[in-house]
Structure formats: structure tokens, C-alpha cells
Amino acid sequence: MSVEPEVPIVQVEEVRENPVLYKIISSDNHVFTISEHAVKLSKTLWDLITNLGLTAENALDNPIPVENVNGKNMETIVQFCERHKYDEEEPEYTNYIREFVLPEWDRQLLSIDNEELFQLILATNYLDIQKLMDYCCRVIGDMAKDKTPEELRIIYGIPTDAEDDALERSASDSPGPSG
Amino acid sequence: MTEIRGFPLFSLPYVALKYVVLSCDIFSRSNLSLCSRRSCLMTRAYKMPKLEIQSIDFSKNKEIENEVSESRKNVVVVKQFEEENVTTHVFNIIATDMKEDIGKIIQSSEFEWEYHHDPSVNLTGILCNNISKFYNIKSPLKSFSAKRQLNSLDFDHSPNILSRPEKVYILMESVSTEELDMVFSKWQDMQQLLTRAEIPDEYDKYGIWNAKEMYLRYAPPTIKGLLNMNYERLFCRRSKLKTSDLNLFLKKWLQSTEKEESKYNIHEIRLSQIENDSNIFEDLPVIPWNPRQRGQFFFLRNPIQNFGIDCSRDFDLLRDDGVLATVSYVRSPHLYDQFYFYVWQVRGFPLFSLPYVALKDVVLSFDIYSRLNLSLCSKKSKSIAGFYKMPMLEIERINFCENSEHIVTISEIYPSPKPKITHTLNIIPSNIEANYGKITEISGLEWKLHHNSPINLIAKFSEFYKLPQSESVFFKRDVEESDFSEEMIAVFNTSKLGVQKKELTTEELNLIFTKLHNIQVFSIWSKIPEDYDNHEIWKAKEIWLRDPPRTVEDLLRMDCERLICNRPKFKTSDLNLFLKKWMQSTLKKEERYLKREIVVFKVVTDSNLFEDLPITPWNPNLRGQYFQGHCQYFPFFSIDCSQGFDLLRDDEFDVSNAELLAMAKKLRQVDTNRARPDQVKLNYQKLTVTREDSTGKTFLESRHLTFPLTFL
């Protein structure tokens, strides 16, 4: 059964020298087109494409279903990949990911609420997009800047020791799966 | 009759025309553009300045005049940005009934003009319209203020830009319902609203009030206003509200939900002058602070305010949709009652629910202080913060300053060739609990951190990052016992200690030398008490003194390898005595260091230094020509001692047999080639046979010759 695009969210302007486009269907049946260079940023998708043997001729006729990612996150992911598809491969940071400067465009893209950001990270992890993962994690790490431990506890929803202990107690008191 | 001919502007050569247009002031240029389509093209053809309408003030022309139309004076401030230069243009637009004045333009200074106009025309609107249209001004008006009565004419021709002022100040003492309607129907997107006037009792269109922050001198007379206005923060200095009204407000808030169409949701309300007529919490499901639900402090962070409010003693209200608010009602005997309402907005990011890879990346993206703060949240957070690769840090220096500040220099070390990064951390004592652990970047790699116990924080820092010592510790304030507590491993294990303050007490000196046992370099730039005589406990490889000790005997009492005294004190006769004492002295067993170098500067000559001393000139058979030294400032240096005189001390060689046997045992233990018990056998002729018979004898003989045979 072919899925018709309900909301064509992203229109990709493909470069002349590489007209290969792929179709991706999100869990809520939104269809996205993404260029070959952009899709290569996702290790999961690119592995899938190569394993399925999709070529320039049959790529658009064989949309790739991605069950674990909804349309909203997929839109962000496609935007990100298209933006960074021609980026030069950066030398891997040797120590800490705070070594790079987060570009303003990406900071704007990732200015979303906590729940969305969390879901985006899960999606990024699933699709294995290293650069987006680094950027998302950097945004989360930056939340801690200039904050006291008291503030961090709230910002990251970190339970207090007493709460952790209570959770542990209730988990050990509750009957196991066998009842 | 002479015909007046205009200047043929457009016939000018290109370059000249360009300069003419660029030399026009901003208003003339926009006026010129209005002459014709061609003039519009010409004026736009050259570089356009970047403009911003900064403010529009509706005020009176003369303060003493009544509120009549002809007293209207509107001040428009336009800023022009050219690279780093900012020019401020001021247009005073004055409505006048005097016909001879109408149309007059007076330039009162280089960038200030007065425009006199017919009161029936809204020249302000026209001017702003023209300027914003011609110069394509997109940024919103920064501020609007009204200091006089408003009328509908004021808002005619209002361009789009005027409909979006960031800040609105209504500064009249009284305001009518019509004026409020006029203002709030025009402006819907304010960041800040400030009013001085009391809101009429009959006013009921609060639904159109829309501003992120509202500062009202008078609160709305009924809770309708509080409930219907759209705002994030509301501050009112005066109020007609009673506690019964606020009780009702809280009940209504509990029944409400966050509306999607609302631009803002309530974050904070502060009202003053509340009349107490009943229990504000009556019939409300208030709950005391539960640390699991919210933090102790409600934080206000914006460019003006930056602090946390302690809400641990206040009561909370939990709405059905999960929104939590804290209510605080403060009664002060001689002041007005205050009502505070804080809505907790932060819904935590579920950090610990992240996938492993992401959690690792997040922790590794933290700066060193945020990572420490994360570790201080809970036991679990501590183990997570310390689980991933830790940065390589070194505490280079801890300065204990006079004003109770602590300055800590920390280096982050990277693998070569990346150079190390050195941070300077100023730990400032603070009494405000909400600020404990708050760190701000002052500049580059200099940070400011507030804490109630800076010492405690340093201890936690060194414990978390496993930093066993600070390379140097410097006191500019009194030395206290708590500075050397067990937690302070970084101070405890320091190898360089310095003191620079007016005077050191006997207690402080005793404290230092009884607590610290591993000082390599100790420098004192402070006065030592005149009666101090406890130099026996001084133990450091290198001692630098500003003031020499009381007597020359003290020079011998200190246990050190190098001793440098900077200020004048001793005469040659004193040092002669010192040399004689040194000749009589011997190496003590409890001393760790052998004195190698004593330097005394600024010696006064009063007698022959070598009087009655058995000095000998340099004998190359006894010692070399150069004395090799090294200290913290000059790693290696040589001093030519060929011209100096020598003194040979007759040290006693007092060693017991038991000590020599113990030494032999030790030597045998460290000998990797020693024979094991089964490799040495005694035959009936009492000759020993070892694994290597030829060398074994020699080895044994030599042992026997050296130790047991000679001394036993």
C-alpha cells in the first residue's frame, strides 16, 4: 500500500550535480523527501538504503518507513541534515563535546521545549546522526550553565536522595512479575 | 520680475548628486523621496542609513497649560546606526493654534528639530509613517510613553511599527476608560507595561490587556482584572483588594487551565496594600512545601533581576492540570500586607532517562563547574557525573584573600600539542542560600562563584575531581584551623605555602607547622612576633623570610635545606657567633634536611666575620670550585666558591651496632640479586656453598668483612 503524502512539510531544493532523492515516511504518515548527501548523515537510514539496494531510479518509488520517529521530529531532522549535508567532516574532538561552537542556526532550530527535545534525541539516537546528537546534547549541557545545584535539580528533574531511596524501597516492596 | 528657478538637482553629475543625497538629514531625505517617483528612486539609489525609532513620548508643550489640544508636544527619537557610531535624532512635534507658526521648522541643534503644526493633523503619525516606510524600519518601537491626555487623533496614521511598542509607559495621574480602550486596542504585543494612573472602577475590558510584564501603580479594583488580563508577571504597589478577594482569585485559578490561545501564562503576581478581612487560605487545598514537587527557591532571572526567593515556608496549590503555585501572604506590623503568587514553570528535562550515548555526551559537554554542581544534586547524579571521562585538572594555586574571597587557579590539561587552559575562580562568600553554587563568567576564563563555605566548596571540588593537592597555597588573611581541616586535602598536601599579611601570630605559625608536614617551599612576607622562639618546629625544604629571626641561633634551629633572609638585621659579629655555633653543632637525628645553604642579605659590618674561626682557603682536594644550588626561582645555578673560606666541622660518627645491622638488613632486602635461603648451604667443614660457587665466597666474605666481623 502506497502512502500518499498528507502534509508535504519539507521541500528539498536539490543541487544540480546530485539529483538523487529519497522518500521517508514518519510514524504519523508524513512524507519527506531528502537528498542523498543529507541522508548519509544518518547511519541507520543510509545502511537501510544500501541494504535495500535503492538507486536513483527507484528511490522515490520506494519510500522508507521510519516507525520510531514522528513527523515533527523528522521535519527537524531533515532540515538539519539538509543544512549540514556539505559540511566538511570535522576532526573528532578528542576530549569533550564542549570544544565546538554551536552555530546560531542550529541553536535556533533546537530552541524547542524539553519534551520535544527529549523525543528528538531519542529519534536522533535511533537514526544514528552523530552531529545532531552532539548538537542536541550540547543544548542540554548548556542548560546547566550558571546554575546552582538547586536549580539543576529542577532543570533536569533530578530526584533528591530521599526521593531516590523512597523509589528504591517501593520498588523492592512491590511484588515481582509473578505476583 | 525675476523668475525664481529651482536648483537643477537631478541635472547634477552622478557623483555630486550622490553626495547631495547622502548629505541630507534623515527627515529631508525622506521628504525628498515624496516629491515624485523619480525623486523617490534617486533618494533610494544610494546607501540608506540603518534607523530605529527609539521612542515616542506624548507630552505637553508647556507644563502649566491645561490639557488642551494646542499644548500637545510629541517627541520622536530616532537612532541612526553607522558601524559603531550611533546618532540620536530628536523631533519635537508641537501642535500650535498660532497660524503664523504653523509649518515652522526650527533646528535647535545639529540633530534636534521642532516642527510646529496644525493641531488637526497628526504630524507624528505622518512623520513616523514616512520614515519607517522610506527607511524600511522593521524593528519594533522600543518605547512609548504618554504624559498627557490621549485622543483618537494621536493614533491616526499610525504605521505598523507603532502598533508594536516593546515598552509602554502610561504616566498620567488619571486615565479614562476611553483612553485605556484606545491604548490596549491598538497595542497587543507589549513586553512591558507601566501605568501610574488608577483604573476606573467601571472599567471592564481587561481581556484586551496584553503584556509580558505589567507594573501597575494601582492594581485592578476587582479580581476580574487579575484573572482576565494576559500577562506573565504583574506587580502592583497599591491595591483595593482584600484577602477575601484574593481567596476567590486563588479558587478561580485552581479551576482554570492554561489556554492555548493565551500569549502569556501567569508566572508571578505581587500585590501590596492588601486589606486583611479574612483568612486568605480559607477552603483552599493548600499544601506545605514538598521538596519532591518543587525547589526551595523561585528564581527570577532577567537582565534587571537575578535572585531566588525562598519559598520553603510558603504554601502550595496544585491545579488539576499539574501546575503548581506557591502563595505567600506577608503581614508586617508597620507596613502594608503583601500578597505573592508564584507559578512554577520549569518542567525538568528528564536527563537520566536519556540513552546512554546521549547522557554521556551531555555530561561531557558540561564545563568543569557545571559538572561539579551536577554531582552535588544527589548521590545518583554524583555517580553519573563522575562516571564518564573526567577532565585532567590541577589546582595550581589557592589564594585566601583579605575579604574572605578565595581565588583558585585551576588548569585543564589536554594531551599535547593542545596547551593547557587556566581558569581563575573567585569564590565569594554569600549568605543567600539561593546563590550557593551559582557560577558566572566574568571574562574569558575568569569565573565568579557564590558559596556559603568557600573552603567546603574547594574540598568538594578536589574530592570530585580527585585532586590531591594544590601546588601552592597563599594566605593574605589570618590562618585559621578550619583551613587545615581533613577535608581540605588540597591545602593539606600543598608543597608551596606563602603568607603575605601584616603580621603572623605565634598561634598561626604553630598551626602551620603542626598541620602541614610536607612543605617544600615556605615564604613569609609578614612580620613575625618579636618573642617568637619556636623555630624548632619549622620544617621545609626551602624557607624564604622577609624578616630574619630573632637570633642567629634560630637560623640553626629551623629544619631546612635552604634559608633566605631578606631584610637587614644581623651584623658580622652576629654571624661570627653563628659560625661558631655551627662549628659546635652536629646533625640531629630528628632533622629531615641537611642545611646546605643559608643566605643573609644586607649584613652590617661591625667586626671581622672570621675572627677566631679556623678558616681555610679553598683546597681543591676537599671540594669543587662551584657550589651547585637550585631553588624554586632559579632551577639550577652555580656559585664560584674559589675565593671563599671553608670551615670543617668535626661531626661525631655516632652509630650503634644495632643500627648498622638494621641498615645491612635493609640493603639485603633491596638487593635483587641476593641469595635465597636454599641457595646458601653450610657443609660440615663450615664452608659455604652458593649457587655460584666461585663468586659466592667473595660475596659472603665481603659481607662478613664489612659488617659482622668488624662490629660484632
Side-chain angles (χ1 to χ4, degrees):
Chain A
M1 190 184 88
S2 66
V3 184
E4 285 303 311
E6 286 179 19
V7 189
I9 300 174
V10 177
Q11 293 298 323
V12 179
E13 195 182 315
E14 188 46 48
V15 287
R16 279 187 294 274
E17 66 267 28
N18 187 4
V20 184
L21 293 175
Y22 296 92
K23 268 188 183 174
I24 297 169
I25 304 170
S26 65
S27 61
D28 44 2
N29 287 337
H30 289 174
V31 178
F32 300 85
T33 46
I34 186 166
S35 65
E36 186 173 16
H37 274 100
V39 83
K40 278 181 178 173
L41 292 181
S42 162
K43 201 166 174 299
T44 308
L45 286 178
W46 187 241
D47 284 351
L48 203 64
I49 286 166
T50 46
N51 288 334
L52 288 172
L54 296 183
T55 58
E57 290 75 40
N58 65 6
L60 285 172
D61 301 331
N62 293 287
I64 306 159
V66 181
E67 295 291 330
N68 296 0
V69 183
N70 65 23
K72 199 167 187 181
N73 287 330
M74 189 59 87
E75 183 188 355
T76 310
I77 288 167
V78 172
Q79 279 181 1
F80 179 89
C81 292
E82 291 294 344
R83 173 85 179 184
H84 293 283
K85 61 185 172 184
Y86 295 126
D87 283 3
E88 275 180 32
E89 205 155 299
E90 287 165 20
E92 264 192 42
Y93 43 84
T94 48
N95 288 293
Y96 308 102
I97 71 166
R98 65 171 184 274
E99 285 173 20
F100 63 77
V101 177
L102 185 60
E104 189 51 38
W105 186 90
D106 299 276
R107 195 174 282 283
Q108 287 292 329
L109 183 77
L110 301 176
S111 297
I112 47 181
D113 72 34
N114 286 345
E115 179 57 32
E116 283 176 43
L117 188 58
F118 183 74
Q119 294 302 329
L120 180 65
I121 289 180
L122 297 186
T124 308
N125 188 43
Y126 172 69
L127 295 176
D128 200 354
I129 307 168
Q130 186 57 45
K131 192 164 199 160
L132 181 56
M133 178 64 100
D134 289 349
Y135 282 18
C136 288
C137 292
R138 180 61 185 274
V139 169
I140 300 164
D142 285 353
M143 289 177 189
K145 267 190 180 166
D146 304 346
K147 301 293 187 301
T148 64
E150 176 75 30
E151 286 173 288
L152 287 185
R153 202 174 284 143
I154 295 164
I155 287 168
Y156 291 136
I158 299 172
T160 57
D161 286 341
E163 196 174 333
D164 275 337
D165 293 344
L167 266 173
E168 235 170 70
R169 269 198 305 277
S170 66
S172 60
D173 291 348
S174 64
S178 58
Chain B
M1 193 176 155
T2 319
E3 190 187 347
I4 300 170
R5 281 192 188 172
F7 183 85
L9 183 69
F10 295 153
S11 307
L12 282 174
Y14 170 82
V15 179
L17 181 59
K18 179 183 171 184
Y19 282 119
V20 170
V21 172
L22 290 179
S23 68
C24 286
D25 65 66
I26 55 167
F27 189 64
S28 307
R29 191 165 165 183
S30 77
N31 272 351
L32 188 60
S33 75
L34 298 173
C35 296
S36 68
R37 270 184 302 186
R38 192 175 170 208
S39 72
C40 185
L41 278 174
M42 289 292 186
T43 47
R44 281 173 191 272
Y46 309 106
K47 190 185 173 188
M48 297 283 266
K50 192 187 166 210
L51 297 186
E52 205 176 271
I53 300 183
Q54 190 67 22
S55 64
I56 298 177
D57 297 338
F58 284 6
S59 53
K60 294 176 201 168
N61 192 17
K62 289 172 187 164
E63 285 300 319
I64 49 166
E65 283 185 43
N66 292 327
E67 298 267 350
V68 287
S69 63
E70 56 270 30
S71 74
R72 288 196 336 247
K73 175 182 159 186
N74 298 345
V75 182
V76 179
V77 176
V78 179
K79 280 194 173 171
Q80 182 179 344
F81 299 90
E82 229 165 317
E83 290 173 357
E84 286 181 357
N85 299 326
V86 182
T87 314
T88 306
H89 304 263
V90 181
F91 301 99
N92 297 296
I93 300 162
I94 301 161
T96 177
D97 274 349
M98 298 168 80
K99 281 188 180 163
E100 62 274 22
D101 285 349
I102 292 173
K104 262 189 190 171
I105 301 175
I106 302 164
Q107 187 164 9
S108 42
S109 69
E110 193 182 353
F111 298 110
E112 189 163 353
W113 292 266
E114 274 184 13
Y115 294 86
H116 296 262
H117 70 98
D118 184 344
S120 62
V121 178
N122 179 7
L123 188 64
T124 311
I126 294 167
L127 184 133
C128 292
N129 242 345
N130 288 346
I131 288 182
S132 55
K133 204 169 158 191
F134 178 67
Y135 291 104
N136 195 23
I137 299 175
K138 289 275 193 312
S139 54
L141 173 66
K142 297 287 169 218
S143 81
F144 168 85
S145 64
K147 295 172 187 162
R148 60 161 171 80
Q149 259 186 8
L150 304 171
N151 62 40
S152 58
L153 190 68
D154 288 323
F155 298 101
D156 280 357
H157 304 286
S158 290
N160 280 340
I161 194 161
L162 299 187
S163 65
R164 298 184 285 125
E166 281 181 7
K167 294 173 185 172
V168 170
Y169 304 113
I170 299 174
L171 303 172
M172 302 91 88
E173 291 299 325
S174 66
V175 67
S176 67
T177 305
E178 292 74 29
E179 284 173 301
L180 289 173
D181 283 351
M182 215 183 307
V183 169
F184 289 105
S185 58
K186 288 277 175 201
W187 297 326
Q188 288 293 310
D189 195 14
M190 291 171 254
Q191 288 296 299
Q192 212 177 75
L193 168 72
L194 186 144
T195 67
R196 270 193 194 161
E198 198 167 350
I199 304 162
D201 285 353
E202 68 277 13
Y203 185 78
D204 63 352
K205 285 192 183 166
Y206 290 106
I208 60 170
W209 288 44
N210 204 321
K212 193 173 182 187
E213 287 182 0
M214 292 186 183
Y215 298 87
L216 313 183
R217 181 184 279 181
Y218 296 93
T222 63
I223 60 158
K224 223 177 180 182
L226 299 187
L227 288 165
N228 293 345
M229 288 190 296
N230 196 218
Y231 55 89
E232 256 182 33
R233 299 198 144 82
L234 174 68
F235 305 89
C236 305
R237 284 167 57 193
R238 295 176 195 179
S239 161
K240 288 179 181 173
L241 295 167
K242 298 172 184 167
T243 43
S244 53
D245 297 324
L246 294 173
N247 177 273
L248 190 61
F249 163 75
L250 294 173
K251 283 173 183 162
K252 294 266 184 198
W253 179 84
L254 273 173
Q255 290 158 10
S256 67
T257 49
E258 282 184 6
K259 294 167 199 160
E260 279 194 12
E261 66 273 20
S262 295
K263 191 169 169 60
Y264 303 114
N265 288 308
I266 298 173
H267 285 198
E268 185 186 359
I269 298 174
R270 291 165 171 245
L271 306 176
S272 191
Q273 281 194 5
I274 307 296
E275 191 187 321
N276 192 329
D277 68 340
S278 65
N279 178 6
I280 193 168
F281 298 114
E282 202 174 311
D283 300 332
L284 281 169
V286 286
I287 40 177
W289 173 42
N290 177 356
R292 291 179 198 179
Q293 277 181 320
R294 64 163 170 89
Q296 182 180 356
F297 297 93
F298 185 82
F299 288 97
L300 300 172
R301 297 246 190 272
N302 60 46
I304 307 163
Q305 297 163 311
N306 192 355
F307 60 94
I309 298 158
D310 187 351
C311 294
S312 58
R313 292 180 181 183
D314 298 319
F315 291 102
D316 292 351
L317 287 171
L318 183 63
R319 212 162 60 177
D320 286 345
D321 59 0
V323 178
L324 187 75
T326 297
V327 184
S328 171
Y329 186 74
V330 182
R331 300 203 68 184
S332 323
H334 305 294
L335 294 166
Y336 296 116
D337 290 3
Q338 318 268 338
F339 168 78
Y340 303 117
F341 183 67
Y342 307 116
V343 182
W344 298 84
Q345 299 297 319
V346 183
R347 287 179 189 155
F349 182 89
L351 185 70
F352 297 160
S353 306
L354 282 174
Y356 170 83
V357 182
L359 181 58
K360 179 185 169 190
D361 269 6
V362 171
V363 173
L364 292 181
S365 78
F366 280 1
D367 60 63
I368 54 173
Y369 308 112
S370 302
R371 197 157 165 185
L372 172 72
N373 277 345
L374 180 70
S375 77
L376 299 176
C377 291
S378 70
K379 277 189 274 187
K380 189 178 176 188
S381 74
K382 188 177 180 181
S383 71
I384 286 174
F387 183 72
Y388 304 104
K389 186 180 177 183
M390 294 286 256
M392 270 183 67
L393 300 181
E394 263 179 16
I395 300 181
E396 288 196 355
R397 193 179 169 101
I398 301 173
N399 276 3
F400 293 87
C401 301
E402 280 171 81
N403 51 1
S404 305
E405 263 188 49
H406 292 53
I407 300 172
V408 186
T409 311
I410 300 159
S411 285
E412 252 184 284
I413 297 155
Y414 297 97
S416 180
K418 196 175 171 185
K420 69 176 181 181
I421 296 174
T422 305
H423 303 248
T424 308
L425 179 66
N426 299 287
I427 308 176
I428 298 160
S430 166
N431 294 325
I432 305 162
E433 206 178 326
N435 285 340
Y436 295 170
K438 182 173 164 45
I439 182 153
T440 37
E441 196 171 346
I442 307 169
S443 63
L445 292 164
E446 195 171 350
W447 309 74
K448 194 167 73 175
L449 199 151
H450 298 267
H451 208 270
N452 63 331
S453 167
I455 294 251
N456 201 10
L457 188 79
I458 296 171
K460 282 180 177 161
F461 189 90
S462 52
E463 186 215 328
F464 178 65
Y465 285 112
K466 299 183 177 63
L467 306 173
Q469 70 172 105
S470 165
E471 204 177 320
S472 68
V473 173
F474 212 74
F475 282 93
K476 286 187 173 179
R477 58 136 169 93
D478 294 347
V479 182
E480 292 161 11
E481 186 144 14
S482 58
D483 299 333
F484 305 115
S485 63
E486 275 181 27
E487 294 80 38
M488 285 301 290
I489 46 167
V491 175
F492 221 66
N493 294 328
T494 187
S495 58
K496 291 179 188 169
L497 184 77
V499 182
Q500 187 180 22
K501 58 179 198 136
K502 206 172 173 188
E503 196 167 350
L504 254 171
T505 64
T506 305
E507 291 72 30
E508 285 174 301
L509 280 166
N510 291 344
L511 186 64
I512 288 170
F513 287 106
T514 47
K515 292 283 182 184
L516 306 183
H517 302 291
N518 196 27
I519 309 173
Q520 292 294 300
V521 182
F522 181 44
S523 51
I524 301 180
W525 299 96
S526 312
K527 198 176 166 195
I528 295 169
E530 282 294 322
D531 57 346
Y532 184 79
D533 66 346
N534 200 13
H535 288 96
E536 284 85 359
I537 64 163
W538 289 38
K539 204 179 276 291
K541 195 172 183 187
E542 218 173 295
I543 296 176
W544 293 69
L545 295 175
R546 189 191 65 182
D547 296 329
R550 200 175 46 145
T551 64
V552 285
E553 282 92 338
D554 293 335
L555 294 176
L556 286 171
R557 286 190 191 123
M558 293 180 223
D559 184 6
C560 60
E561 215 174 84
R562 297 188 77 231
L563 173 64
I564 291 102
C565 304
N566 274 281
R567 282 205 174 161
K569 171 141 188 155
F570 298 125
K571 296 174 186 164
T572 42
S573 54
D574 298 323
L575 295 176
N576 178 270
L577 183 67
F578 161 74
L579 293 172
K580 284 173 181 160
K581 293 267 178 195
W582 180 81
M583 287 291 287
Q584 289 157 15
S585 67
T586 51
L587 190 64
K588 290 173 196 159
K589 281 177 192 164
E590 64 273 17
E591 278 186 346
R592 186 190 294 177
Y593 301 105
L594 174 70
K595 281 194 184 56
R596 295 190 68 233
E597 192 184 350
I598 294 173
V599 183
V600 178
F601 289 108
K602 297 171 188 166
V603 180
V604 179
T605 309
D606 66 340
S607 64
N608 180 7
L609 175 67
F610 302 113
E611 201 174 318
D612 301 333
L613 281 167
I615 52 166
T616 52
W618 171 43
N619 175 357
N621 293 329
L622 283 178
R623 64 162 171 89
Q625 181 180 352
Y626 294 96
F627 181 83
Q628 301 290 334
H630 60 87
C631 71
Q632 61 159 334
Y633 302 116
F634 309 105
F636 295 101
F637 61 89
S638 304
I639 300 163
D640 184 356
C641 294
S642 58
Q643 303 297 313
F645 293 99
D646 292 352
L647 285 170
L648 186 62
R649 198 167 73 182
D650 187 18
D651 277 294
E652 283 177 36
F653 188 64
D654 183 15
V655 60
S656 70
N657 290 342
E659 280 171 325
L660 283 169
L661 270 176
M663 178 62 77
K665 212 170 193 177
K666 274 185 192 170
L667 282 169
R668 181 172 156 67
Q669 273 165 3
V670 296
D671 182 1
T672 50
N673 198 32
R674 69 179 183 274
R676 289 196 302 274
D678 59 335
Q679 290 175 325
V680 184
K681 289 173 185 163
L682 206 65
N683 66 15
Y684 67 97
Q685 288 178 316
K686 296 199 175 175
L687 291 171
T688 50
V689 179
T690 66
R691 54 189 167 157
E692 291 169 27
D693 206 20
S694 57
T695 54
K697 201 174 176 183
T698 325
F699 169 77
L700 198 68
E701 271 178 5
S702 76
R703 290 286 170 98
H704 276 269
L705 277 173
T706 317
F707 300 116
L709 294 181
T710 318
F711 292 102
L712 277 177

